[in-house]
Amino acid sequence: MAQKKKKTTTTTKTKSLRERFSLSKKQRVILGLFLLFLGLAMLLAFVSFLLDWKSDQSIVGHIENRDLEAKNWFSKFGVEISHFFVYQGFGVASFYLAVLTFLTGFYLFLGISLQKLKSFWFWGTSMMLWLSVVFGFLGEENPILGGVVGYEMNDFLQDYLGFAGTLFLLLFLVIVYMIIRLNVTPDKLGNYIKRTKKEIKTDLNTVSTTTNAESENVQTSEKPTEEELIAEFLNVKEEEKPQEEITLNAKESTFSEEQKIFPTSEKIIIKNDDDVTDVAMEVETVKEEEEAPETLSEKLVKDFGEFDPTLELSNYRFPTIDLLKDYTEGGSITIDQKELEENKDNIVNTLKNYKIDIAQIKATVGPTVTLYEIVPAAGIRISKIKNLEDDIALSLSALGIRIIAPIPGKGTIGIEVPNKKANIVSMRSVVASSKFQKAEMELPIAMGKTISNETYVIDLAKMPHLLMAGATGQGKSVGLNAILTSLLYAKHPAEVKFVLVDPKKVELTLFNKIERHYLAKLPDAEEAIITDNTKVINTLNSLCIEMDQRYDLLKNAMVRNIKEYNQKFKARKLNPEEGHRFLPYIVLVVDEFADLIMTAGKEVETPIARLAQLARAIGIHLIIATQRPSVNVITGMIKANFPARIAFRVTSKIDSRTILDAGGAEQLIGRGDMLYTQGNNLTRLQCAFVDTPEVEKITEYIGSQKAYPDALLLPEYVGEESGTGVDIDISERDKLFKDAAEIIVTAQQGSASLLQRKLKLGYNRAGRIIDQLEAAGIVGPFEGSKARQVLVPDLIALEELLNNE
């Protein structure tokens, strides 16, 4: 009875649920009509998306912008829904969804039972997933063929099952589908094959009977005699003899050339011909000369070709020029002739006032600055013109002028005067220039344009490290972005890796999207871009370990630098089983070095100085930027190892001398105006401008492509902490251990300096007591520049802890 009651209650519950969620006839018709039109709209939108998806990619995510126009037949709605289901979803297989939606609407509209739809949806979605993976498997180069789901699932399967395993799994699933859904069994297949065989045999028999009858008629009418057959045979043999002689003569004439390429071991011996025996002798001698022992590396290169480091991401596409914005109209500089004449007259008149005659004056117009080259009259001292810098600036009403006396390599004096209307140097113009595109450099960087409007390309591998400085807002971060963008346009992800340090936390975060392509990080790091100063120390020391490991590889390979090593590795002359690997260049970028020095001090300066001294040969290059180029930040050790320096506008002449060892940076006009030196002459450049949206587009373009499983993992580094972390024997504790513990717990501050002041101890003894307190569990481990955490809350708890030991 109780069971019956339970059954009745459950059935009533299900009935009430059905009644609650059941639709009326009008609601079914309206919902069916909506799904019917939605399915049809999706079908047409997907078809249109296949035709115009490239041109509509820029609209994705900007549906609120009414100024943008879409080519899709269903405008922005069509672009968004197609991008979601086709591009980011299941690719071409997404048409299943449109068909299933249309069918559901059709069934609802006509009031047909929806029981069949369950199997339609189940098998339809199953086939959609299968097709998505198949298209991702077959068409990796086309992003919309399999969609993100098919691409990633195929990538996942190939990582764990390999190519053959993925192929077998897909075949197994389609066979299972045919068995369950289409009822295709081995018996049915066997019967079908037998039936088709019988049909083919019967057809062949009918054909053979007709052909035999025809052939018999032919044989009776045209059967040749034995004498005719013998005569034909002898005629053929006679005709073949001169052909043998012709081929032999051809071999004789071209033998010495072809034998070097295709050596043969056969001897050519024909009777009644004396010349041929000589040829046979020549063949044997050539064969003996060609049988030199072939090395293993030559054989591997011959069989497999040179090692290609880009093979894992062979379908990687470099970012296109279209992602960068062109800020210049037509790419040319507008010359204001009136401004040039005025400035020339003012310079000449000012110098005349001080009795300085000029023999000649010439102007070179640049993007932001115009260079006026003057040739003073005979007997005029250069120092006299140099001292008139402020007077010339006053007469020109200029923001700041710079006098180069003399210009290196020319017998002239240069006066750099800012233009009233400055032109922006776009990153697009310098990247698209032939100088950058054809640059035969290891790490080419398009920094900007010179005063003569020429693209200035430098090689980071030859610098080998770069120091950047400048006041806030003068262009350092844009300069770093220009450097990184240049390398992204020039080098494959297999060839260069970045280690990015960003204490500001906002400047380099855009590059997070290319983590698995271009970035390197510590094994336990969550994010590749380092924003915490305490983690910078471990990263720098890890780079030092990587440097030492690379030098060991160079030593074993008996080469002097990374270029020679990689060439040898590509030629398969180095065995990977012995630890050899292809070495990508590593570029360390530090956005605000002064902040690191303030928080970590020597712990940062020492590994950076070590890397700067030694890392050039093994392909680790440093780019350090700071807004405070003071002596305590840019020390003599760092300056000695950073010959290449860039100075944006600074506030004082002292800062200019600190960064460049020369004045002039205080006279710059800002907004990307900079001075570059590599240890010899100063070059004035206008830095290429690349805006945040442009960097975002580039990183999104790269990040949307197939990547490595993870960022490049640097060697693990265990920090050398002050605390030992090992239990210390109680008998070896200091006499002042208990007093020190009480002071630390009372003050709730675990530092050696506190013990020095309170107990009047030296630093070494205070440090030893801190180690003993850590071993006893009273203070926590070492945390860089911070004080240690005190683990005991009060003196009562301390007493209990010491008594229980």
Side-chain angles (χ1 to χ4, degrees):
M1 290 291 288
Q3 287 178 354
K4 284 182 180 179
K5 283 182 181 179
K6 281 182 182 178
K7 284 180 181 178
T8 52
T9 53
T10 52
T11 52
T12 52
K13 279 182 180 178
T14 52
K15 280 182 182 178
S16 62
L17 283 170
R18 282 178 187 171
E19 288 172 0
R20 190 180 300 173
F21 292 105
S22 63
L23 298 171
S24 65
K25 191 175 182 181
K26 288 181 181 179
Q27 288 172 337
R28 282 171 65 93
V29 170
I30 292 167
L31 180 60
L33 198 63
F34 170 75
L35 291 175
L36 197 140
F37 278 101
L38 178 63
L40 192 61
M42 287 170 67
L43 195 67
L44 293 172
F46 290 174
V47 172
S48 178
F49 185 75
L50 292 180
L51 301 173
D52 300 313
W53 71 276
K54 288 184 179 178
S55 58
D56 286 343
Q57 279 294 93
S58 59
I59 297 171
V60 176
H62 302 287
I63 195 169
E64 73 282 353
N65 191 346
R66 298 181 67 179
D67 295 329
L68 296 173
E69 290 183 4
K71 288 189 177 180
N72 196 284
W73 297 337
F74 284 82
S75 191
K76 293 171 187 172
F77 165 79
V79 172
E80 286 292 330
I81 197 168
S82 303
H83 181 78
F84 181 78
F85 284 113
V86 179
Y87 191 92
Q88 293 185 333
F90 306 97
V92 177
S94 301
F95 280 83
Y96 261 99
L97 276 176
V99 173
L100 289 171
T101 306
F102 181 86
L103 271 176
T104 307
F106 186 78
Y107 273 50
L108 282 168
F109 182 77
L110 295 179
I112 304 171
S113 175
L114 301 178
Q115 290 298 323
K116 286 185 180 179
L117 279 176
K118 291 181 181 177
S119 63
F120 282 163
W121 273 96
F122 175 79
W123 291 110
T125 51
S126 302
M127 280 304 295
M128 183 174 66
L129 280 168
W130 183 83
L131 274 174
S132 179
V133 178
V134 168
F135 285 134
F137 181 79
L138 296 174
E140 288 184 356
E141 294 180 359
N142 195 333
I144 64 165
L145 205 57
V148 173
V149 172
Y151 183 87
E152 291 296 333
M153 286 181 72
N154 170 57
D155 201 24
F156 175 82
L157 289 171
Q158 289 209 36
D159 283 345
Y160 288 93
L161 299 177
F163 180 87
T166 307
L167 185 63
F168 280 13
L169 179 63
L170 292 172
L171 287 172
F172 170 74
L173 290 174
V174 78
I175 292 166
V176 169
Y177 176 83
M178 289 169 70
I179 293 169
I180 296 173
R181 185 71 174 155
L182 306 176
N183 294 322
V184 178
T185 58
D187 297 334
K188 288 184 178 180
L189 277 173
N191 293 332
Y192 178 77
I193 291 165
K194 283 178 184 177
R195 192 168 65 249
T196 51
K197 273 186 178 179
K198 284 179 183 177
E199 291 172 0
I200 292 164
K201 278 183 180 178
T202 53
D203 292 336
L204 286 171
N205 288 331
T206 55
V207 171
S208 62
T209 53
T210 55
T211 52
N212 287 331
E214 290 172 2
S215 62
E216 283 174 4
N217 295 329
V218 172
Q219 284 177 3
T220 54
S221 61
E222 296 179 0
K223 189 173 181 181
T225 61
E226 289 182 4
E227 290 80 11
E228 287 174 349
L229 289 172
I230 293 165
E232 281 179 16
F233 180 77
L234 291 171
N235 287 331
V236 167
K237 284 289 180 181
E238 287 172 3
E239 286 172 7
E240 284 178 356
K241 282 182 182 179
Q243 288 179 3
E244 277 188 10
E245 291 174 4
I246 291 165
T247 53
L248 178 61
N249 293 333
K251 282 182 182 177
E252 257 184 334
S253 60
T254 58
F255 193 84
S256 59
E257 295 176 2
E258 291 182 356
Q259 190 63 35
K260 292 176 184 177
I261 305 168
F262 303 106
T264 179
S265 59
E266 295 179 0
K267 290 184 181 180
I268 303 172
I269 301 171
I270 296 176
K271 292 180 180 180
N272 301 323
D273 195 343
D274 297 333
D275 297 331
V276 178
T277 53
D278 298 334
V279 175
M281 292 295 290
E282 287 178 14
V283 174
E284 286 179 358
T285 54
V286 171
K287 176 65 183 172
E288 286 173 6
E289 288 174 5
E290 288 294 325
E291 279 184 349
E294 192 176 33
T295 61
L296 180 62
S297 62
E298 287 174 354
K299 192 175 181 182
L300 286 169
V301 171
K302 188 177 177 181
D303 294 341
F304 303 104
E306 285 196 347
F307 172 77
D308 185 7
T310 65
L311 203 60
E312 193 172 348
L313 295 184
S314 56
N315 295 328
Y316 174 79
R317 298 184 303 277
F318 283 91
T320 58
I321 299 292
D322 300 335
L323 299 171
L324 295 169
K325 190 177 177 183
D326 191 5
Y327 294 93
T328 57
E329 296 177 2
S332 59
I333 293 172
T334 54
I335 299 171
D336 190 348
Q337 201 67 35
K338 187 180 177 183
E339 183 185 344
L340 286 176
E341 293 298 329
E342 283 181 5
N343 288 341
K344 278 183 183 179
D345 293 340
N346 288 332
I347 290 169
V348 171
N349 293 332
T350 304
L351 293 174
K352 271 187 180 178
N353 293 337
Y354 292 93
K355 297 179 182 178
I356 298 171
D357 294 326
I358 295 172
Q360 187 184 346
I361 185 166
K362 185 178 78 172
T364 306
V365 182
T368 54
V369 175
T370 300
L371 174 66
Y372 295 90
E373 294 182 54
I374 60 172
V375 179
I380 302 295
R381 297 178 63 184
I382 292 173
S383 59
K384 196 174 181 183
I385 298 173
K386 238 182 172 182
N387 293 332
L388 298 174
E389 193 171 44
D390 295 333
D391 299 286
I392 296 168
L394 180 66
S395 67
L396 296 171
S397 304
L399 182 64
I401 67 164
R402 177 169 165 263
I403 293 179
I404 312 164
I407 295 175
K410 295 183 179 181
T412 58
I413 295 169
I415 301 173
E416 293 175 347
V417 181
N419 297 336
K420 289 179 181 178
K421 185 183 177 183
N423 291 296
I424 297 174
V425 175
S426 63
M427 193 72 206
R428 177 170 178 158
S429 63
V430 294
V431 168
S433 66
S434 60
K435 201 166 187 180
F436 178 76
Q437 295 289 337
K438 296 177 182 178
E440 294 182 359
M441 300 178 179
E442 292 299 311
L443 296 172
I445 295 171
M447 277 311 305
K449 291 194 175 182
T450 61
I451 288 175
S452 57
N453 202 32
E454 292 178 3
T455 303
Y456 197 79
V457 182
I458 47 180
D459 190 1
L460 180 61
K462 290 182 178 177
M463 288 186 187
H465 311 293
L466 180 63
L467 187 62
M468 297 174 68
T472 307
Q474 302 305 317
K476 290 190 309 302
S477 297
V478 174
L480 288 176
N481 284 338
I483 291 169
L484 293 172
T485 303
S486 299
L487 294 174
L488 291 179
Y489 271 93
K491 307 303 286 183
H492 190 275
E495 298 172 326
V496 66
K497 300 292 178 184
F498 302 124
V499 178
L500 304 180
V501 179
D502 184 15
K504 294 180 188 175
K505 303 181 182 180
V506 293
E507 294 294 345
L508 300 174
T509 48
L510 288 172
F511 295 94
N512 258 327
K513 296 172 187 173
I514 58 169
E515 177 181 332
R516 293 191 298 152
H517 289 88
Y518 279 100
L519 301 190
K521 65 176 183 178
L522 291 173
D524 57 343
E526 294 178 6
E527 293 183 357
I529 296 174
I530 306 158
T531 54
D532 186 2
N533 288 345
T534 56
K535 293 179 182 177
V536 179
I537 302 162
N538 291 344
T539 306
L540 292 173
N541 285 298
S542 174
L543 282 172
C544 289
I545 296 169
E546 173 73 13
M547 177 181 74
D548 295 333
Q549 289 177 358
R550 288 190 173 199
Y551 268 117
D552 289 336
L553 292 174
L554 262 66
K555 176 188 169 188
N556 296 333
M558 291 183 287
V559 292
R560 297 184 64 181
N561 55 52
I562 187 173
K563 190 176 179 181
E564 293 175 8
Y565 179 88
N566 284 338
Q567 285 174 352
K568 208 169 183 179
F569 188 83
K570 285 179 182 178
R572 301 185 186 273
K573 293 180 180 179
L574 301 174
N575 191 355
E577 291 180 2
E578 295 175 2
H580 290 290
R581 54 194 166 91
F582 181 80
L583 301 179
Y585 286 92
I586 297 176
V587 179
L588 170 66
V589 179
V590 182
D591 190 25
E592 189 44 71
F593 186 60
D595 189 53
L596 290 181
I597 293 294
M598 285 174 67
T599 53
K602 287 284 181 185
E603 290 175 289
V604 167
E605 188 183 345
T606 304
I608 278 188
R610 190 160 180 262
L611 286 168
Q613 287 171 343
L614 299 172
R616 173 185 182 173
I618 46 86
I620 298 176
H621 301 281
L622 280 60
I623 300 172
I624 291 174
T626 180
Q627 64 181 1
R628 192 161 60 88
S630 53
V631 179
N632 60 336
V633 174
I634 302 172
T635 59
M637 177 74 76
I638 289 172
K639 283 180 72 175
N641 294 293
F642 283 79
R645 299 171 202 167
I646 287 175
F648 293 92
R649 188 167 185 259
V650 293
T651 53
S652 67
K653 194 174 279 188
I654 296 168
D655 289 344
S656 178
R657 290 192 177 279
T658 305
I659 183 70
L660 295 174
D661 294 327
E666 75 282 358
Q667 299 289 349
L668 299 174
I669 60 172
R671 293 176 62 84
D673 190 19
M674 68 182 201
L675 291 172
Y676 169 75
T677 179
Q678 203 168 346
N680 39 28
N681 301 322
L682 290 175
T683 306
R684 191 166 186 174
L685 303 171
Q686 178 60 38
C687 182
F689 179 69
V690 54
D691 205 0
T692 305
E694 295 173 72
V695 178
E696 197 170 355
K697 283 181 185 177
I698 293 166
T699 52
E700 278 180 1
Y701 183 87
I702 295 170
S704 63
Q705 299 182 50
K706 182 183 176 183
Y708 296 106
D710 199 2
L712 177 72
L713 296 179
L714 298 172
E716 190 173 358
Y717 172 75
V718 180
E720 297 178 3
E721 300 175 354
S722 295
T724 57
V726 185
D727 289 338
I728 297 173
D729 191 5
I730 296 173
S731 61
E732 295 178 0
R733 282 180 178 169
D734 197 281
K735 293 177 182 178
L736 297 173
F737 174 80
K738 191 174 181 182
D739 296 336
E742 288 175 356
I743 289 167
I744 292 291
V745 171
T746 305
Q748 286 293 304
Q749 183 185 346
S751 67
S753 58
L754 178 67
L755 296 181
Q756 284 180 270
R757 292 195 308 272
K758 295 289 184 183
L759 298 174
K760 298 179 181 177
L761 303 174
Y763 178 76
N764 292 335
R765 188 177 180 185
R768 282 196 299 273
I769 294 173
I770 287 288
D771 290 344
Q772 293 167 10
L773 292 170
E774 183 191 350
I778 297 168
V779 297
F782 176 72
E783 295 181 10
S785 58
K786 296 179 183 177
R788 292 171 184 253
Q789 185 182 358
V790 180
L791 305 175
V792 180
D794 50 33
L795 293 173
I796 298 168
L798 176 67
E799 199 69 34
E800 289 179 3
L801 179 68
L802 295 175
N803 291 334
N804 292 331
E805 288 182 340

